[in-house]
Amino acid sequence: MSKRPPLGASAVWKAVMEPAGHRCQCQGGLCGSQHSDTGRRCINSSAHGRLLIAPADLTLSTVAAAAVPVEELRAWCGSCHGKARNRQLAAARELERRQADEPLSLF
């Protein structure tokens, strides 16, 4: 793979990828892996495959994610993105479940 930006939004691509060093920015357990043998950061880069750009908060709707400023976007490999998104969604569901009011009665 190359470091060439995709056809659309190349300015955003460069603004995120250059500071990230064209490397996945998953660190220390966001995806469930501690990345302990690689300095606590994912080793996947644009040389290993396609990288994605997404906000750190992966529970945002598509519309809300599109409005996130460039400074709050990060580079993700597909594996870390999917796993981190699943973990964040599960944590959000658990938080909603805990904050929900108990039913007044069973019947």
Side-chain angles (χ1 to χ4, degrees):
M1 287 272 136
S2 69
K3 293 183 180 179
R4 291 187 319 183
L7 293 176
S10 61
V12 173
W13 178 264
K14 288 178 185 176
V16 174
M17 289 298 165
E18 287 177 359
H22 293 269
R23 188 172 156 200
C24 179
Q25 290 181 294
C26 183
Q27 292 181 310
L30 294 174
C31 68
S33 170
Q34 292 297 319
H35 301 295
S36 57
D37 51 337
T38 59
R40 299 187 50 80
R41 184 169 171 199
C42 180
I43 62 166
N44 289 328
S45 68
S46 56
H48 295 104
R50 183 177 298 191
L51 294 178
L52 311 167
I53 294 177
D57 181 0
L58 298 172
T59 62
L60 295 174
S61 69
T62 305
V63 173
V68 170
V70 172
E71 300 81 29
E72 296 178 24
L73 297 173
R74 22 167 69 135
W76 295 91
C77 69
S79 176
C80 288
H81 179 268
K83 291 174 185 175
R85 183 173 183 274
N86 289 342
R87 288 172 57 90
Q88 287 183 15
L89 289 172
R93 281 191 303 268
E94 178 63 18
L95 181 63
E96 283 179 19
R97 187 188 68 76
R98 288 181 183 214
Q99 291 177 343
D101 292 332
E102 292 290 325
L104 297 174
S105 66
L106 291 176
F107 303 101

